[in-house]
Amino acid sequence: MADPFSIVVGSIGLADVCIRFGKFLNQAKDGFAKVDKDLDDLSKEIAALLSVSELIKRSFEVDLASTKDPIDQHIRDNQWHATKTSLDGCQAVLSEISDLVSHTLGNGKSKYAKFKNLRKFLRQQSKENVFLELRQRLQAYTVALQTSLAAVNVIYTRESQITLSSSFSDLSKEIQSQGSDLQSKIVALQANVDSSAERILDTVVRSARSVVPLASPNKHFSTPQTVSSIFTGRQSELDTLRNCILDSKPVQEGEIQSRFVVYGLPGSGKTQFCCKFALDNRQSFWGVFWIDASSKEHAKQSFSTIARIGKVDSNERAAKNWLSTLGREQPWLLIVDNADELDFPVEELFPDNVNGVILITTRNPVVKMHGTVGPRSFHFVELGEKESIELLLRAADEPSPWSKSSLESAKQICKTLGYLPLALLHAGKTILARLCTLANYLDFFSKNWNRIREARSSPEASSLLDANAAIYSSYELIHDGLVAKGTRASEDALDLLKIFSFLHRQRIRVDIILQAAGNPKLEKLERERRAQDEKLINNRLRQRLTLAKALQKYGFDILAFLVELGYRPVLPRILMDIDDSRPFNELRLRAALKELFQFSLIFANPDPRDDSYSMHPAVHLWVRERPGMTIGDQAVWCQATATILSHAILLPPLGDKEHDEVFRRDLLPHVSHVQSNEALIRATIMKHQALRRRAWPVLQPRLNRAQALQLVKFSLVYTQCGLLAEAEKLQLQVLDFCMKTLGIEHTSTMDVMLLLSRTYQLTNNDEAADLQQRVFDVCLKVRGKNDLKTLKVMDILGSSRWQQGRVLEARNIQEAAVDGLKKVLGSAHPDTLRAMGNLGRSIGKDFGFTKAIKIHSEVLPGLRTQLGQSHLDTLTARDNLAMAYYDRAAHGYGHPGDLDTAVKLEQEVWEERRELLGKENLFTLLAGLNLARIKALRGELDEALAIFLPGHEIAIRNLGETHFGVLYGKMHYGRILTYAKRYKEAETLLMEVVDSHGRPRQGHSQRLLAIMFLIQCRNLQGRQAETADLLEELMESTKAQFGESHPWVTYLSDPVKMSIEPDEEATTPIAAVTRIDSGTGSLETITPLAMIAKYGHIKA
């Protein structure tokens, strides 16, 4: 934002000049023989400027005190900078006019009364042209200030949509009126700038134009398709739908949600109709969203996109909850598209909110039962004859007025095509491309349909619907026309069409092709680097191998070579024609897309910022199943599509940026679709082979390195989207291949094992740690303890041991890893700093609080310098440091200011993660929990619960009651309630946590810590007799982990130490510990006993 002082000073300075000059003009007017229009107009302009200056000052003072939307902050800042420019310029020009007039007229006496007006007097003084130029400039600056005020007004009204309780319709009308006023002022300002040549005001024009989009009350707009520019018909249905949804009375509490169903044949225009309704009524909705309901997986992906808009966790439950919580000032429209599956209940997709409207498209008439308003549903079969003829002729771009023969030919075509909008649109595009004419279109159509019928009678015919015959025949005409053109653009278009048919039909991002073109070069460089490293490892390894081992290694090398022999990736021509001398030609890609778009075979995304395309489901299916596409062709193009997706995905470390993760999540429906098609094609081939009279041996699918890499990449997509079973299946398949062809000692095999361990880590940390231990043992044997790969695996393994509660083992592993990484990479390398942070956590949990703080204090500035202030790893380092200060205070070793430092750091982490990751992200929820723990220890119990409880509810909803993260939060919830003396509630929660961990996790640190909290909670109620069994279990587990003579075992043996009660006068729980009389023992002996169970021996 502009300097507040400069804005206020500028407005005051302008006001001062206006006041002084205004007084002078009032005196000067008396000196002329009659009323001077110039002086009178100038006086009015100055009075207006004085008012504008005061409004600017007041507006800016309000702006400084207001809560701002961070998304629009840069627009607001630019606006105030432009306003400051106008203020300065206006003051300068007005001062020049004042100097000119006062110098010309002198002191305002009647010596110039012989002149009839100011203009003649200035002309006599040769100053008229200067005066006129200054007046023109002053007018430009005046309009600029008025434009800036209008822009500020739009910004304020936009923000009031959230802060005020006014109805959305009232605000919508108000802000649209203000937007129109702003646009008219921009036009006037641009005219003044052009005439006055005051180019500095161009910045005011630009900043005001940036505000214009804010004048739309609609903030989010996403629909399945762009509305066709020749959309025709359905006007009565559009009016009916608007009347029953938008023009009815506002919803009242207890009313049902507004839902409407549009059902009918494929190609009848259901989706286009809903998109048209959304576009026409865009200003009536704060947000317009859509769901691909063709399958559960696609619906989940759609909800994931909505979740990112709402900045909540990327899953269906979080997205639906976000929509459900939007108030009446944020009404939304949700288009549920293609809800055709009988075994997929569409009602599962409905968010619970009466302020939302849901439109459903489906082929299934049963779905109409979900309509709730007006007639509840429309049945779309065909357009009327008149509307059909109009659509066809407009699509064919027939010049109007239409001749009688054109109308007659169009009538016959429409009748043959069943008046289906999609078939008519394709027919029109075919005629427009001069592939045929209106007069002979039906001849070509009949020939194609006969060919289709013949193909459908063959054994390999697919189960295409006869209802879509008109669409399929129309498509065949377009397809044949593209083939006949024979240009490079048309050939590329046909290739892309086949590729798109094996991708999911919605949101086919152009950068899938762009990434697939550029990524192989990056991966080649990375492979060469890894190959060099592998060569060095192999040379060292061969020096130590026995003869038997050497022969085995040689056999693996030969097998890997044979697997690769003759492999060449299947790709379309546009990607095959790339080498070092011929880089990828994006213009060629755009030309091919243009061919498809012009024939309406693909549709552009309605959002101009989203460079992607979609296909109609009927066309999408027909491309794969058309008569000319044999099962062999399907296999080839399906493999080509999978290869493109594989090339588009970069694995870490190349693809470890945030935008890479977003891109991989967007690829989920495409990966899922291509894999499902692969399975269908493989099953069809096996079926055909089984039907042959002679039994031929069937070769099973065999992996090569490229295909294995493809599966690894696809597994990463599944993992990021939470589909862990699918990810594990692919990773196990690749691991089996690597074991057989490369051996366990190969780098690629170990990488796959580590990847699989990370998948396991999300559900079963013990299994993950076991796999990491195997990799570590191999690394140690093959590479040695000082190798970089070995050191990184050590760090990963140490973190897993820490999560298992094996703190001492974790610390020993991590100390060795950090020492090695410092020697190999240096102390300032990000990998070293990350490992140091992991070590600091283990040391802190081993009671080395001060040492942990020292380590984290070194890690944080290092990562901040290397990665940036807001990098996720930097935030993790800040979180680690905050909790190290907390641990030192919570366990009796606190220094003055520890909790103040902890709460400041954790507050920053929580707020930044909310902004970067969304309020429902797992790491955001963890930061909120940690902040609540710190505040509870400070005695700020109400604040702690206000932060913790909403996050805990989100965690339960997204993860489930039994997830270890939820149990961890519930355990600390019980601790906070104990601080608040709500003992009964705390005891119930802690018992649930202890019971939930079960036998497999009986000795886990989280369970032991929960037992410790439960014992303390009961003891504080005077129920020590009920804790004997729990204390015995805690004692035995501690002995098993740390040994009979460990200090914590001794501590647990003293029942007196188990009943320390907080001082009633203590301001915080920690204060109660530090105020205990010194006669009870040292600080070590009064430390909360949770540390005995969790952290082991006390370190100074």
Side-chain angles (χ1 to χ4, degrees):
M1 181 179 287
D3 175 28
F5 184 71
S6 67
I7 291 285
V8 174
V9 168
S11 58
I12 292 174
L14 177 59
D16 182 58
V17 174
C18 289
I19 292 170
R20 286 190 286 104
F21 191 32
K23 287 181 179 179
F24 175 83
L25 289 178
N26 287 331
Q27 294 172 1
K29 283 191 291 186
D30 297 335
F32 288 98
K34 63 178 185 178
V35 175
D36 184 349
K37 187 174 185 304
D38 285 308
L39 286 177
D40 200 44
D41 289 347
L42 194 54
S43 296
K44 291 177 181 177
E45 286 180 27
I46 290 170
L49 273 175
L50 186 61
S51 299
V52 171
S53 173
E54 179 59 28
L55 279 172
I56 288 173
K57 180 175 176 293
R58 285 184 0 222
S59 298
F60 192 74
E61 288 170 347
V62 170
D63 185 59
L64 285 176
S66 66
T67 302
K68 302 167 182 64
D69 184 349
I71 297 175
D72 300 331
Q73 184 63 44
H74 70 286
I75 297 177
R76 179 197 301 268
D77 290 348
N78 290 339
Q79 193 55 52
W80 283 120
H81 280 296
T83 303
K84 178 65 169 59
T85 299
S86 301
L87 281 170
D88 293 344
C90 195
Q91 182 177 344
V93 173
L94 191 57
S95 295
E96 288 186 55
I97 295 176
S98 176
D99 291 344
L100 173 66
V101 174
S102 59
H103 182 268
T104 304
L105 299 182
N107 57 8
K109 299 280 173 83
S110 59
K111 64 181 182 180
Y112 46 81
K114 61 182 179 178
F115 297 99
K116 292 184 178 180
N117 55 45
L118 176 63
R119 188 79 61 84
K120 285 187 177 181
F121 190 77
L122 289 169
R123 192 179 302 137
Q124 192 267 344
Q125 301 288 329
S126 301
K127 300 288 181 66
E128 182 183 15
N129 290 338
V130 177
F131 176 72
L132 292 176
E133 181 188 343
L134 288 172
R135 283 288 303 277
Q136 195 173 41
R137 290 174 62 198
L138 181 63
Q139 185 179 11
Y141 278 107
T142 303
V143 176
L145 287 173
Q146 293 171 341
T147 304
S148 293
L149 269 179
V152 169
N153 200 26
V154 168
I155 294 173
Y156 289 163
T157 305
R158 169 64 176 260
E159 291 178 352
S160 70
Q161 289 184 351
I162 298 176
T163 57
L164 297 181
S165 58
S166 306
S167 70
F168 182 84
S169 59
D170 291 341
L171 284 171
S172 175
K173 293 173 184 176
E174 181 182 356
I175 200 169
Q176 287 182 74
S177 173
Q178 291 174 1
S180 299
D181 178 58
L182 175 59
Q183 287 180 310
S184 65
K185 281 185 167 58
I186 291 173
V187 172
L189 175 59
Q190 186 65 65
N192 275 276
V193 171
D194 294 339
S195 61
S196 66
E198 203 71 14
R199 304 318 310 180
I200 193 172
L201 291 179
D202 282 335
T203 59
V204 182
V205 174
R206 286 195 298 270
S207 64
R209 282 177 176 158
S210 70
V211 176
V212 170
L214 300 183
S216 168
N218 175 258
K219 191 168 185 178
H220 305 289
F221 188 81
S222 176
T223 57
Q225 298 175 4
T226 304
V227 177
S228 172
S229 59
I230 56 172
F231 183 92
T232 304
R234 310 292 191 195
Q235 190 56 53
S236 62
E237 288 91 343
L238 286 168
D239 293 340
T240 299
L241 188 57
R242 177 180 175 83
N243 290 336
C244 65
I245 286 180
L246 298 177
D247 293 341
S248 57
K249 63 179 182 178
V251 294
Q252 304 295 324
E253 186 173 353
E255 291 192 8
I256 60 174
Q257 185 179 64
S258 297
R259 295 193 296 268
F260 202 91
V261 180
V262 182
Y263 69 98
L265 292 173
S268 57
K270 302 183 295 295
T271 302
Q272 271 283 296
F273 173 82
C274 291
C275 293
K276 175 67 171 172
F277 175 83
L279 183 65
D280 289 350
N281 301 285
R282 178 173 184 166
Q283 304 304 335
S284 299
F285 298 102
W286 175 82
V288 176
F289 314 98
W290 73 281
I291 295 295
D292 179 1
S294 58
S295 71
K296 278 190 176 183
E297 289 71 25
H298 297 152
K300 287 180 180 179
Q301 180 64 18
S302 300
F303 274 119
S304 177
T305 301
I306 295 175
R308 290 204 294 275
I309 294 173
K311 293 187 176 180
V312 296
D313 201 30
S314 186
N315 62 64
E316 178 180 348
R317 285 177 295 185
K320 286 168 63 177
N321 182 71
W322 176 65
L323 289 173
S324 299
T325 58
L326 295 176
R328 61 190 293 266
E329 72 282 359
Q330 295 167 305
W332 46 264
L333 170 66
L334 180 66
I335 299 173
V336 179
D337 196 31
N338 293 308
D340 305 323
E341 294 294 329
L342 297 177
D343 57 350
F344 181 21
V346 68
E347 61 270 21
E348 293 181 3
L349 304 178
F350 301 159
D352 184 17
N353 190 331
V354 296
N355 297 305
V357 173
I358 298 177
L359 297 182
I360 307 164
T361 73
T362 179
R363 297 197 304 263
N364 182 5
V366 176
V367 176
K368 68 182 181 180
M369 63 180 286
H370 294 293
T372 60
V373 294
R376 297 175 56 185
S377 65
F378 290 143
H379 182 199
F380 280 12
V381 180
E382 56 194 32
L383 283 176
E385 182 179 79
K386 183 179 178 181
E387 294 168 334
S388 298
I389 293 172
E390 181 184 351
L391 175 60
L392 173 64
L393 294 176
R394 289 177 67 189
D397 198 24
E398 281 290 309
S400 59
W402 296 317
S403 66
K404 186 176 180 181
S405 61
S406 294
L407 289 170
E408 184 59 34
S409 295
K411 180 179 179 180
Q412 294 303 317
I413 293 172
C414 293
K415 183 178 180 180
T416 301
L417 297 183
Y419 306 104
L420 279 176
L422 184 63
L424 295 171
L425 182 65
H426 283 159
K429 296 295 183 180
T430 306
I431 296 166
L432 177 63
R434 302 293 183 262
L435 303 179
C436 57
T437 66
L438 268 172
N440 64 13
Y441 175 85
L442 288 179
D443 293 335
F444 284 89
F445 177 86
S446 298
K447 291 175 184 177
N448 274 291
W449 182 231
N450 289 333
R451 181 156 54 93
I452 292 169
R453 277 198 299 240
E454 290 174 6
R456 283 170 55 76
S457 63
S458 70
E460 294 189 0
S462 57
S463 56
L464 294 169
L465 298 175
D466 285 328
N468 295 335
I471 299 173
Y472 300 153
S473 297
S474 298
Y475 165 73
E476 279 298 305
L477 282 173
I478 295 175
H479 180 273
D480 291 347
L482 285 172
V483 173
K485 286 178 75 172
T487 64
R488 187 170 72 173
S490 64
E491 291 173 351
D492 289 340
L494 288 168
D495 286 354
L496 284 181
L497 195 62
K498 293 165 187 170
I499 294 295
F500 285 7
S501 74
F502 287 97
L503 295 171
H504 183 253
R505 66 179 189 84
Q506 292 284 6
R507 200 160 180 259
I508 302 171
R509 292 175 51 164
V510 174
D511 54 4
I512 293 177
I513 307 296
L514 298 179
Q515 296 272 34
N519 286 348
K521 188 172 182 179
L522 297 175
E523 292 179 321
K524 181 182 178 183
L525 295 174
E526 177 67 13
R527 281 198 307 272
E528 290 173 353
R529 184 193 65 77
R530 288 171 63 102
Q532 195 65 27
D533 293 343
E534 194 69 24
K535 185 177 180 181
L536 295 174
I537 297 298
N538 288 337
N539 289 338
R540 290 202 302 266
L541 179 62
R542 285 192 178 96
Q543 296 174 6
R544 302 195 303 266
L545 288 178
T546 64
L547 179 60
K549 284 286 185 182
L551 289 173
Q552 185 186 34
K553 178 74 172 60
Y554 183 64
F556 279 136
D557 291 343
I558 292 176
L559 182 57
F561 171 76
L562 290 175
V563 167
E564 286 294 287
L565 192 62
Y567 174 74
R568 188 166 183 260
V570 179
L571 288 169
R573 282 165 284 198
I574 196 170
L575 291 176
M576 288 295 288
D577 296 341
I578 302 175
D579 54 37
D580 293 336
S581 61
R582 291 178 299 176
F584 181 71
N585 186 351
E586 185 176 345
L587 293 177
R588 179 178 170 182
L589 171 64
R590 298 292 176 181
L593 291 170
K594 183 179 179 182
E595 290 276 344
L596 298 177
F597 181 75
Q598 287 176 336
F599 283 107
S600 296
L601 295 173
I602 59 175
F603 302 95
N605 192 297
D607 186 350
R609 297 168 298 181
D610 190 341
D611 191 10
S612 65
Y613 292 87
S614 301
M615 296 177 71
H616 191 279
V619 176
H620 188 244
L621 175 64
W622 181 247
V623 177
R624 295 195 308 275
E625 304 285 348
R626 60 178 296 270
M629 182 77 85
T630 67
I631 191 66
D633 292 331
Q634 288 179 345
V636 168
W637 286 106
C638 186
Q639 183 182 345
T641 307
T643 302
I644 288 173
L645 285 173
S646 177
H647 286 182
I649 300 169
L650 283 176
L651 293 175
L654 294 176
D656 61 354
K657 304 294 188 300
E658 185 178 352
H659 64 83
D660 293 311
E661 294 185 358
V662 173
F663 179 69
R664 285 193 290 265
R665 283 197 294 268
D666 286 346
L667 291 184
L668 174 62
H670 303 301
V671 169
S672 177
H673 192 266
V674 78
Q675 286 215 297
S676 64
N677 275 288
E678 281 181 340
L680 287 173
I681 291 168
R682 189 177 296 116
T684 303
I685 292 174
M686 298 288 287
K687 178 182 176 182
H688 290 171
Q689 289 174 333
L691 292 174
R692 291 176 181 172
R693 294 181 180 179
R694 178 182 291 181
W696 291 91
V698 177
L699 293 176
Q700 297 299 321
R702 187 186 65 183
L703 283 179
N704 55 43
R705 285 197 184 189
Q707 291 167 334
L709 180 61
Q710 173 184 301
L711 294 184
V712 167
K713 290 180 175 183
F714 288 176
S715 77
L716 188 61
V717 172
Y718 286 130
T719 300
Q720 283 191 194
C721 296
L723 302 174
L724 303 183
E726 290 84 347
E728 180 184 351
K729 179 181 177 181
L730 297 184
Q731 289 165 7
L732 286 171
Q733 189 177 345
V734 176
L735 181 58
D736 180 66
F737 164 78
C738 290
M739 285 286 200
K740 292 177 179 177
T741 59
L742 303 175
I744 194 173
E745 297 174 352
H746 194 278
T747 301
S748 296
T749 306
M750 289 188 281
D751 286 343
V752 174
M753 292 173 72
L754 290 175
L755 181 65
L756 181 60
S757 77
R758 290 191 176 97
T759 303
Y760 287 153
Q761 211 156 21
L762 298 171
T763 55
N764 189 334
N765 195 64
D766 293 339
E767 197 168 358
D770 291 344
L771 201 53
Q772 291 161 7
Q773 182 69 56
R774 287 181 63 193
V775 177
F776 174 64
D777 292 341
V778 173
C779 278
L780 205 59
K781 174 185 174 184
V782 175
R783 296 171 173 266
K785 63 180 182 180
N786 297 320
D787 179 80
L788 180 59
K789 182 82 173 180
T790 305
L791 296 171
K792 288 184 177 181
V793 174
M794 287 174 69
D795 178 48
I796 295 170
L797 177 60
S799 294
S800 292
R801 294 301 185 214
W802 177 78
Q803 290 178 356
Q804 289 178 299
R806 295 159 65 170
V807 177
L808 297 181
E809 184 180 351
R811 177 173 179 172
N812 291 333
I813 294 172
Q814 289 167 332
E815 283 177 340
V818 168
D819 289 343
L821 288 170
K822 284 182 177 179
K823 293 175 183 177
V824 176
L825 299 176
S827 298
H829 193 280
D831 286 342
T832 305
L833 292 169
R834 292 186 187 100
M836 289 172 62
N838 294 334
L839 172 61
R841 289 190 308 180
S842 294
I843 290 175
K845 301 313 179 189
D846 197 21
F847 244 53
F849 303 121
T850 300
K851 186 173 181 180
I853 290 172
K854 182 179 179 181
I855 291 174
H856 292 310
S857 297
E858 182 181 349
V859 170
L860 178 57
L863 287 177
R864 187 186 291 129
T865 300
Q866 295 287 338
L867 304 177
Q869 175 73 17
S870 298
H871 192 279
L872 297 182
D873 288 342
T874 307
L875 293 179
T876 297
R878 211 184 308 174
D879 176 63
N880 287 339
L881 180 57
M883 297 314 293
Y885 278 114
Y886 165 83
D887 282 341
R888 185 165 73 176
H891 300 108
Y893 293 87
H895 294 186
D898 274 2
L899 289 180
D900 292 338
T901 303
V903 78
K904 180 178 181 296
L905 288 168
E906 198 62 47
Q907 183 82 37
E908 292 171 353
V909 173
W910 186 51
E911 290 175 355
E912 290 197 43
R913 282 182 177 170
R914 281 169 65 93
E915 180 64 28
L916 291 172
L917 305 175
K919 64 183 181 180
E920 298 198 4
N921 181 272
L922 186 60
F923 290 102
T924 304
L925 298 178
L926 178 61
L929 169 59
N930 288 340
L931 181 60
R933 292 168 61 194
I934 298 169
K935 284 186 174 290
L937 198 60
R938 286 161 57 94
E940 301 164 0
L941 296 169
D942 290 339
E943 289 184 44
L945 290 172
I947 293 170
F948 169 76
L949 288 175
H952 190 56
E953 291 173 2
I954 291 170
I956 292 174
R957 186 186 73 234
N958 292 346
L959 303 175
E961 289 274 4
T962 59
H963 191 276
F964 60 84
V966 174
L967 295 177
Y968 180 74
K970 188 182 289 187
M971 176 183 67
H972 286 291
Y973 183 21
R975 189 63 167 163
I976 293 171
L977 292 177
T978 302
Y979 288 158
K981 299 186 183 297
R982 292 163 59 178
Y983 298 126
K984 294 295 184 184
E985 298 171 72
E987 182 177 352
T988 300
L989 285 172
L990 293 170
M991 287 176 63
E992 289 176 0
V993 174
V994 172
D995 294 340
S996 296
H997 278 290
R999 182 167 295 278
R1001 292 170 59 87
Q1002 197 162 9
H1004 194 279
S1005 60
Q1006 282 192 29
R1007 183 172 183 275
L1008 299 180
L1009 186 58
I1011 292 175
M1012 183 63 245
F1013 288 166
L1014 180 58
I1015 291 172
Q1016 289 183 326
C1017 180
R1018 286 179 176 173
N1019 287 351
L1020 289 172
Q1021 301 174 68
R1023 296 162 55 197
Q1024 285 84 347
E1026 299 177 32
T1027 62
D1029 291 341
L1030 287 174
L1031 184 58
E1032 182 180 356
E1033 181 183 348
L1034 188 59
M1035 176 81 74
E1036 293 303 317
S1037 297
T1038 305
K1039 288 179 181 179
Q1041 284 199 35
F1042 303 108
E1044 295 279 348
S1045 59
H1046 197 278
W1048 287 119
V1049 177
T1050 305
Y1051 190 91
L1052 281 171
S1053 302
D1054 189 347
V1056 178
K1057 306 297 189 299
M1058 298 295 292
S1059 304
I1060 297 174
E1061 190 159 356
D1063 186 349
E1064 292 293 335
E1065 298 179 359
T1067 56
T1068 70
I1070 187 64
V1073 177
T1074 57
R1075 292 177 188 178
I1076 294 175
D1077 186 87
S1078 59
T1080 61
S1082 65
L1083 273 177
E1084 290 184 1
T1085 60
I1086 61 171
T1087 301
L1089 300 203
M1091 302 312 301
I1092 299 174
K1094 189 171 184 183
Y1095 304 124
H1097 62 286
I1098 301 176
K1099 280 188 173 286

